[in-house]
């Protein structure tokens, strides 16, 4: 949900556990991080402030970039 993305809990967990995750989990986590901005701006995200949406979107992009780097470092198949 947009509220879950806005809290950042899942994204923070992905970021802190990326070294322990399998290639499949990394790929799934990156897809989730990539989809966060769209979910935040969707109809269910109307209850969030523009600042919350902006912060959560930037954090999601940062986490996605870190996950992508981990995927490349491990040479996971995308």
């Amino acid at each position: 949900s947009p509220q879950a993305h806005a809290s950042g809990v899942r994204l923070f967990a992905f970021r802190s556990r990326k070294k322990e995750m399998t290639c499949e989990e990394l790929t799934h986590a990156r897809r989730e991080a990539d989809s966060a901005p769209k979910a935040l701006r969707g109809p269910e995200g109307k209850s969030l402030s523009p600042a919350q949406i902006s912060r959560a979107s930037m954090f999601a992009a940062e986490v996605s970039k870190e996950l992508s780097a981990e995927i490349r470092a491990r040479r996971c198949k995308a």
Side-chain angles (χ1 to χ4, degrees):
S1 73
Q3 288 74 19
H5 287 303
S7 75
V9 173
R10 287 183 61 82
L11 292 170
F12 186 76
F14 294 152
R15 177 189 233 182
S16 62
R17 299 285 183 163
K18 67 182 176 246
K19 298 283 185 197
E20 303 163 20
M21 296 168 75
T22 66
C23 285
E24 185 177 334
E25 290 169 334
L26 285 167
T27 302
H28 176 78
R30 184 180 62 186
R31 272 192 298 242
E32 188 169 323
D34 288 344
S35 70
K38 185 176 181 179
L40 290 162
R41 288 182 176 87
E44 292 181 31
K46 297 282 187 218
S47 63
L48 301 172
S49 73
Q52 286 176 302
I53 293 169
S54 178
R55 279 192 305 270
S57 294
M58 287 189 301
F59 186 52
E62 188 177 311
V63 170
S64 177
K65 186 185 284 188
E66 290 179 17
L67 293 170
S68 293
E70 184 69 23
I71 289 168
R72 280 192 306 278
R74 290 196 204 177
R75 296 192 171 136
C76 296
K77 295 179 182 173

